[in-house]
Amino acid sequence: MIRKLVVVLGDQLNRDALVWQDFDPTQDAIWMAELPEESTHVQSHKQRTVLFLSAMRHFAESLRQQAWSLHYLVLGSHDFVGFEQALGEFLSHHQVGAVELVVPGDYRVLQQIKVACQQNATPLNVLPDIHFIAEPGEFKTWLAGRKKPTMEYWYRHLRQRTGILMDDKKPMGGKWNYDADNRQSFGKTGPQAVPAPLMFTPDAITQQVIKDVEFHFAPHPGKLAEFGWPVTREQALAALEDFIAHRLAKFGDYQDAMWPNQAWLYHSLLSVALNLKLLNPREVMAAAEQAYQQGRAPLNAVEGFIRQILGWREYVRGLYWSYMPDWLSMNALNAQQDLPGFYWTGDTEMACLKDSIGQVLEYGYGHHIQRLMVTGLFALLWQAKPEQVHQWYLAMYVDAVEWVELPNVLGMSQFADGGLMASKPYIASGQYIDKMSGYCQHCRYKPKEATGDQACPFTTLYWGFIEQHQELFRGHPRLGMQVRHLDAMSTEKRQLIQQKILQLHEKLA
Ligand SMILES: Cc1cc2nc3c(=O)[nH]c(=O)nc-3n(C[C@H](O)[C@H](O)[C@H](O)COP(=O)(O)OP(=O)(O)OC[C@H]3O[C@@H](n4cnc5c(N)ncnc54)[C@H](O)[C@@H]3O)c2cc1C
Ligand code: SF4
């Protein structure tokens, strides 16, 4: 008889979670499973699968060292597909008093675990995830009665409640937000000697996982040659230290900048360790705040970094659980195009997309502005079906877990929520990409041109998008101006843009 069966998922690899608080190794047991469906419900990038499986096997190793009772299903050693089947089978063959787990990062997985428990009449205790700063119910209370859940106010609320980056009751430095200082580009010459991030050579466990993934998921996208993500808590702590020491100081200045063949720039690369719970957001923010207090990083960098974690990360999680499963069917702009095939191969002449997608295939990584203003922007202007865009992002990024990926993609990037998260769609022409990157210098297209042989597809589609949604945008303070620019355009130019869009659809679809 197992008193309590603790289910540990691949993104719950922290020993300070609530499930461990009254764990009694003499009566309780742990259940972990490597299930194909987690890599196939969207065709997961090989590095994403390796990351999760390797981190799980390392975590399992640490449990075994304590001689705790662990039931671990290894990929390839069983025929189960998903949680419902695998956990259901276990419960049907063992006497289990109750199943306990921390709330999963994916609504789908929670439903499957509920079904497995119901079918076996086993009580299920779903515990809150205390990794996050928001207390259970805090986001819903904050959300209640608000016309619009603006991230900035949620962020200020959490800063006031936690005291992070606060000087008594005032924001440190006197301002809540240093965004205006954080929009520098690298000009025309590009970045100078960016410190390379710490990467980790695969050990024997990771090497075995790499072989397993190559065997079981050979046709999946992504390359494994450069796998270097942290898969243990020790490695995650070393990655944090490396970021604070070498890149944090310039994180703010170049937060929005992009450059060809420069995947990392001054970003932290910590989303992987945070999302698998190898790092706690409190320790990450404390390290950044300490760097500011010791004069090792300026306030614009530290505030900008903390806002991403305390603000955005907590905000999208609150929105995910407040609006699931409705998120999955949102399509406010009625976008109906298929996502172009080059998203899976990087095979395109558009230099910005070729580089950004190539980098995703290589490492499973893209920084925020590449995700929002290159791959996300093109999908939005193309009017790709939000569901397909969501599936691509969930599959291709090593840090993708649905609670964080879905609101970012459907809300922030694709405006499929009709303005729940953003006040307007994040649209721009190729000129924005030119200003913030070095991509256009080496591209066969010209960012200013919307028509003609060298027209930048972003710019052409941008005007097509404004044309199509002009009535929706006309009254908007910022987009209304673009509608007036369109009104001032000659009929001939507007027709040429429409023709060019048709050509693009023939060429790229
Ligand atoms: C279309 C789109 C899809 C995204 N999908 C994911 C995803 O699947 N998983 C994911 O973790 N993030 C996602 N993000 C948010 C963000 O792009 C990544 O967290 C970030 O690029 C990860 O790289 P980093 O660790 O170097 O981040 P940094 O630039 O160093 O930022 C620091 C940390 O802040 C947090 N953060 C920053 N921006 C956000 C945000 N918008 N939402 C939530 N947390 C944030 C992350 O934990 C990140 O590690 C997405 C953003 C967009 C626009
Ligand atoms: S010209 Fe257009 S397609 Fe080419 S890199 Fe610039 S924005 Fe991208």
Side-chain angles (χ1 to χ4, degrees):
M1 168 79 184
I2 298 169
R3 181 189 71 146
K4 174 171 95 170
L5 184 72
V6 169
V7 172
V8 177
L9 304 174
D11 63 341
Q12 299 181 336
L13 308 179
N14 51 330
R15 291 293 290 275
D16 52 1
L18 283 179
V19 280
W20 304 112
Q21 272 191 359
D22 68 342
F23 185 82
D24 176 358
T26 62
Q27 310 182 67
D28 302 335
I30 305 148
W31 187 87
M32 295 176 75
E34 299 177 2
L35 295 164
E37 192 176 52
E38 294 313 295
S39 299
T40 55
H41 77 282
V42 291
Q43 225 201 11
S44 179
H45 191 298
K46 287 177 187 163
Q47 287 211 17
R48 178 170 177 262
T49 303
V50 169
L51 170 78
F52 276 86
L53 297 192
S54 174
M56 283 170 71
R57 288 187 196 179
H58 281 93
F59 188 78
E61 212 39 52
S62 74
L63 297 173
R64 282 191 198 103
Q65 277 166 16
Q66 289 187 271
W68 286 3
S69 170
L70 168 67
H71 301 269
Y72 190 102
L73 289 174
V74 177
L75 185 73
S77 70
H78 61 84
D79 296 327
F80 304 119
V81 177
F83 281 100
E84 189 178 318
Q85 214 189 1
L87 182 61
E89 217 267 345
F90 184 89
L91 295 176
S92 69
H93 285 90
H94 294 80
Q95 271 193 298
V96 175
V99 167
E100 200 163 280
L101 96 155
V102 168
V103 62
D106 188 323
Y107 179 90
R108 174 187 54 87
V109 170
L110 179 59
Q111 302 316 306
Q112 291 196 6
I113 290 175
K114 279 184 180 167
V115 171
C117 291
Q118 273 160 10
Q119 284 177 347
N120 290 282
T122 311
L124 169 66
N125 302 328
V126 181
L127 302 179
D129 193 344
I130 59 168
H131 161 93
F132 292 96
I133 312 294
E135 285 165 2
E138 187 173 2
F139 189 84
K140 282 211 165 134
T141 308
W142 175 84
L143 191 65
R146 265 167 210 273
K147 271 201 194 134
K148 198 167 168 58
T150 307
M151 193 290 291
E152 184 65 29
Y153 296 114
W154 167 244
Y155 167 59
R156 290 181 194 182
H157 160 82
L158 284 186
R159 271 179 71 181
Q160 280 164 322
R161 189 193 31 89
T162 57
I164 293 172
L165 223 51
M166 295 295 287
D167 225 346
D168 194 16
K169 291 204 163 87
K170 294 206 173 100
M172 220 169 258
K175 285 201 296 186
W176 290 104
N177 186 318
Y178 291 84
D179 242 4
D181 301 338
N182 289 359
R183 296 201 182 107
Q184 292 186 40
S185 74
F186 294 112
K188 290 290 165 211
T189 48
Q192 306 299 313
V194 182
L198 184 62
M199 288 290 177
F200 303 90
T201 308
D203 65 2
I205 293 180
T206 305
Q207 283 174 25
Q208 182 57 49
V209 177
I210 289 175
K211 281 188 197 150
D212 292 349
V213 169
E214 287 289 21
F215 179 78
H216 290 282
F217 304 113
H220 281 220
K223 299 173 190 165
L224 283 170
E226 301 281 340
F227 186 90
W229 296 104
V231 290
T232 63
R233 172 142 173 86
E234 292 68 33
Q235 290 180 343
L237 285 169
L240 170 61
E241 205 180 303
D242 174 64
F243 167 67
I244 300 285
H246 304 298
R247 299 190 305 286
L248 172 64
K250 290 202 176 149
F251 172 87
D253 293 353
Y254 298 115
Q255 206 176 330
D256 287 1
M258 300 176 277
W259 202 260
N261 302 315
Q262 293 273 350
W264 323 114
L265 293 167
Y266 293 97
H267 291 272
S268 71
L269 322 188
L270 293 177
S271 52
V272 162
L274 280 163
N275 294 353
L276 269 64
K277 318 282 164 61
L278 299 175
L279 284 178
N280 188 302
R282 292 165 191 82
E283 68 192 339
V284 174
M285 292 187 284
E289 194 167 350
Q290 192 185 47
Y292 168 61
Q293 277 155 355
Q294 294 173 345
R296 290 186 286 138
L299 190 53
N300 71 308
V302 172
E303 189 282 315
F305 179 68
I306 287 180
R307 178 148 31 89
Q308 306 309 312
I309 294 174
L310 188 62
W312 282 109
R313 190 166 184 267
E314 296 284 328
Y315 173 72
V316 296
R317 182 167 184 270
L319 287 178
Y320 178 76
W321 285 111
S322 303
Y323 292 97
M324 274 306 277
D326 296 350
W327 273 115
L328 292 168
S329 54
M330 288 182 191
N331 189 359
L333 296 176
N334 192 26
Q336 294 298 344
Q337 299 296 327
D338 288 324
L339 193 67
F342 67 73
Y343 268 76
W344 298 95
T345 61
D347 189 9
T348 167
E349 289 180 303
M350 290 178 269
C352 53
L353 278 162
K354 192 180 184 66
D355 189 82
S356 301
I357 295 172
Q359 179 190 305
V360 176
L361 289 166
E362 196 89 13
Y363 308 111
Y365 180 83
H367 67 72
H368 186 70
I369 291 299
Q370 290 174 310
R371 296 188 208 202
L372 186 65
M373 298 309 285
V374 180
T375 44
L377 174 61
F378 191 84
L380 173 65
L381 297 176
W382 184 256
Q383 313 211 31
K385 291 176 189 154
E387 189 191 359
Q388 289 185 10
V389 186
H390 149 59
Q391 285 168 352
W392 183 80
Y393 275 97
L394 188 57
M396 292 298 267
Y397 290 82
V398 280
D399 59 14
V401 186
E402 201 179 77
W403 67 265
V404 54
E405 173 274 334
L406 191 61
N408 269 302
V409 172
L410 262 67
M412 197 166 180
S413 164
Q414 301 300 298
F415 205 73
D417 61 358
L420 183 69
M421 280 179 80
S423 60
K424 66 172 187 62
Y426 274 94
I427 53 167
S429 71
Q431 284 176 275
Y432 170 85
I433 295 175
D434 191 28
K435 191 174 100 191
M436 295 311 296
S437 77
Y439 292 133
C440 304
Q441 293 176 32
H442 309 285
C443 186
R444 88 164 206 60
Y445 301 113
K446 300 272 173 271
K448 279 192 181 143
E449 292 177 25
T451 56
D453 281 352
Q454 292 190 311
C456 163
F458 282 82
T459 305
T460 311
L461 292 169
Y462 172 79
W463 287 113
F465 191 89
I466 300 274
E467 176 98 54
Q468 176 153 0
H469 298 293
Q470 54 182 296
E471 292 321 317
L472 194 64
F473 301 155
R474 199 170 281 281
H476 190 277
R478 274 177 287 168
L479 288 178
M481 201 165 72
Q482 297 306 90
V483 177
R484 287 192 287 284
H485 281 310
L486 185 77
D487 290 342
M489 229 181 241
S490 68
T491 312
E492 192 200 353
K493 175 115 191 225
R494 283 164 80 157
Q495 281 169 352
L496 284 173
I497 289 174
Q498 292 307 323
Q499 280 168 19
K500 191 78 200 168
I501 291 174
L502 288 177
Q503 286 167 14
L504 278 175
H505 277 273
E506 272 165 31
K507 188 175 167 193
L508 301 177

